[in-house]
Amino acid sequence: MRGFGMMSRERAPSGVVVAALDPEDLPTAVVAATLVVPLRGLSRSTVLAAPLVADLWAATVAEAAMRAGAEVAVSPVAAVDFAGVTVEAVRARWADVHGLPYWFSPTALPTALPAGDAVTRARRTALERAERDEGRWSDRIRAALFGGHRYGVGHAERIAYLRACGTGDLLRAMGELAAAPPVLAMSAADGRTAAECAAALSAAIATRPSVPPSEGGSALSSEGVSVPPSALLSEGPSVSSLAGPIVEGPDSTAAGPSSRGHYLVGAKGVALGDEEKFALHIAWAVLGGREGELDRRLRHEDALTYSLAAFSREFAEGGYGLIYGACRADALEVVTERVEETLEWLASAGPTAAMVDSAKERLIIRQMQAVQSARGFTERMCGYEIAGISAGRILDYPERLERVHAAQVVEAASRFLGSDVRIIG
């Protein structure tokens, strides 16, 4: 894949950001455009409703595209930092994706909820997506790390809100989201198109309807202010509600042989733009995956776990890491000991140069696979822009990763995964 010689970027006085990549620089069979609204500074109720609003927006955009004769596929986008829609088209119809700013603009979005069962369908889709999201493992860890910040919002709270929110709640959320300056990323456009889209979105925002006041939607903490990522995280490493492994069994007072145990380790992370993320990524890659140390020590040697995951996540304002293991309840003690030993090894002796090189290769392959699709690329572009990072940095990742050496990996592991900074549940 070639570099970013033809990347265009426009930031309008209204706050609208448009990033565009010349179609020749992303040679895929499909092109895409993603338009999202940042969630920073919005009320808690709006953040909770954002996935449902994204589904409703996607339905509205799909209808507008059909009326315009555009041959596109429309999908909702809902992430911790933004919500919106993505449109995709075959390369021969790449010009069709440029209609997205007009279909999505605040003046084009509905001022009333769609008729019929559109809301019911959208609610069902949003709930199904939330209920099958494996990220729910991290709910209590994220709540402990991030507190009242939107990164601490858990699946249970969101699901309860999506089930209960009414017409007024949805209209307020739609209005608040539609009034915010969006970010648009396109995998097929030139500088002139980017400027035109920025102007169109700015004009639409200037005529946006007023947003009704939120009722009971208190703002999330740390929103709307400039805060270092570390300030979003709890000061202490231990949280009483997470003390001890979790055991599930037929009898809650006595775990039998058929009981299941769940072991969680949470750790502070870094924001998307933090330079230390490269060393931290390698540390987590050494731990996780089929080639990782945890898999070797927990599964290959004694088959102690039947489900195992270890990963880190970075967002615009902070990040975290998580180890999750599911095993028999009577194996919890051994699993706990092995995980602790592995983490102590990583933060002290550390991996060999060969292990670091292997981890780098896996990370680079995974990252390049993720940006091979136009949709994956444009959604990543939006995330980078919202984090205040040039979207052109996406493909700098392999080069930046290659500069990291084993001693830096040990240092990062010591800072973020050492025994004095972990949260264990």
Side-chain angles (χ1 to χ4, degrees):
M1 186 179 295
R2 292 194 283 132
F4 281 85
M6 298 300 290
M7 169 74 77
S8 303
R9 186 176 184 276
E10 294 285 335
R11 176 179 282 277
S14 63
V16 170
V17 174
V18 177
L21 185 68
D22 187 281
E24 295 305 315
D25 278 351
L26 189 67
T28 61
V30 176
V31 293
T34 298
L35 201 158
V36 300
V37 174
L39 299 182
R40 181 187 289 115
L42 303 186
S43 65
R44 189 179 196 90
S45 57
T46 294
V47 169
L48 290 168
L52 176 50
V53 173
D55 278 288
L56 291 170
W57 276 348
T60 300
V61 168
E63 184 180 347
M66 184 174 63
R67 289 198 303 268
E71 297 180 10
V72 297
V74 184
S75 306
V77 177
V80 294
D81 281 317
F82 52 82
V85 296
T86 292
V87 301
E88 299 169 276
V90 297
R91 177 166 285 275
R93 299 290 302 236
W94 68 271
D96 281 357
V97 303
H98 298 160
L100 176 58
Y102 302 93
W103 307 327
F104 184 92
S105 67
T107 52
L109 293 173
T111 56
L113 294 181
D117 60 353
V119 174
T120 301
R121 290 198 307 271
R123 194 192 305 269
R124 183 169 58 246
T125 300
L127 281 168
E128 288 173 354
R129 192 165 55 242
E131 288 169 346
R132 69 172 178 261
D133 187 351
E134 293 185 350
R136 62 185 180 277
W137 296 335
S138 65
D139 274 10
R140 291 199 295 164
I141 294 290
R142 287 184 293 104
L145 288 171
F146 297 110
H149 190 271
R150 71 176 179 278
Y151 296 165
V153 170
H155 289 72
E157 181 184 3
R158 188 183 301 280
I159 289 168
Y161 186 84
L162 292 178
R163 285 175 176 160
C165 63
T167 300
D169 301 313
L170 284 177
L171 287 174
R172 279 188 293 273
M174 292 174 78
E176 190 174 0
L177 284 161
V183 172
L184 171 64
M186 293 180 284
S187 72
D190 54 22
R192 178 177 177 181
T193 304
E196 290 174 349
C197 289
L201 287 168
S202 295
I205 287 175
T207 58
R208 65 182 180 237
S210 60
V211 182
S214 177
E215 297 174 5
S218 59
L220 291 149
S221 65
S222 301
E223 297 291 293
V225 294
S226 178
V227 183
S230 59
L232 301 176
L233 306 172
S234 60
E235 293 296 326
S238 61
V239 177
S240 59
S241 64
L242 296 176
I246 305 163
V247 177
E248 295 177 356
D251 182 348
S252 60
T253 61
S258 62
S259 301
R260 292 183 300 167
H262 302 275
Y263 180 72
L264 292 171
V265 176
K268 295 181 181 182
V270 297
L272 188 60
D274 196 302
E275 289 297 313
E276 199 156 17
K277 80 175 182 183
F278 303 101
L280 198 56
H281 277 188
I282 294 172
W284 279 100
V286 167
L287 286 174
R290 295 188 177 221
E291 302 86 353
E293 277 295 294
L294 287 174
D295 196 74
R296 182 180 72 80
R297 299 185 186 204
L298 295 175
R299 304 182 79 172
H300 291 185
E301 293 181 0
D302 297 304
L304 290 169
T305 59
Y306 54 82
S307 181
L308 180 66
F311 57 86
S312 63
R313 295 285 183 268
E314 292 83 37
F315 311 124
E317 299 170 63
Y320 74 99
L322 178 72
I323 297 171
Y324 167 80
C327 61
R328 300 188 319 273
D330 57 7
L332 267 174
E333 185 176 349
V334 179
V335 169
T336 301
E337 289 176 359
R338 296 266 180 102
V339 171
E340 291 295 300
E341 288 170 1
T342 306
L343 293 175
E344 290 301 323
W345 162 80
L346 184 64
S348 55
T352 64
M355 294 172 72
V356 169
D357 288 342
S358 176
K360 287 178 181 179
E361 289 177 8
R362 297 196 304 274
L363 287 167
I364 291 170
I365 290 170
R366 189 186 312 160
Q367 195 263 358
M368 296 307 289
Q369 287 173 336
V371 299
Q372 286 298 316
S373 77
R375 174 180 179 174
F377 195 85
T378 56
E379 291 179 7
R380 263 182 167 75
M381 288 170 73
C382 288
Y384 270 59
E385 291 291 346
I386 287 170
I389 311 166
S390 168
R393 289 269 303 276
I394 294 174
L395 290 190
D396 288 345
Y397 183 80
E399 178 187 347
R400 306 293 288 276
L401 206 65
E402 289 289 3
R403 298 177 193 169
V404 179
H405 50 76
Q408 290 173 297
V409 176
V410 174
E411 182 182 353
S414 176
R415 287 190 56 206
F416 293 95
L417 288 162
S419 59
D420 59 335
V421 294
R422 296 196 294 268
I423 292 177
I424 299 174

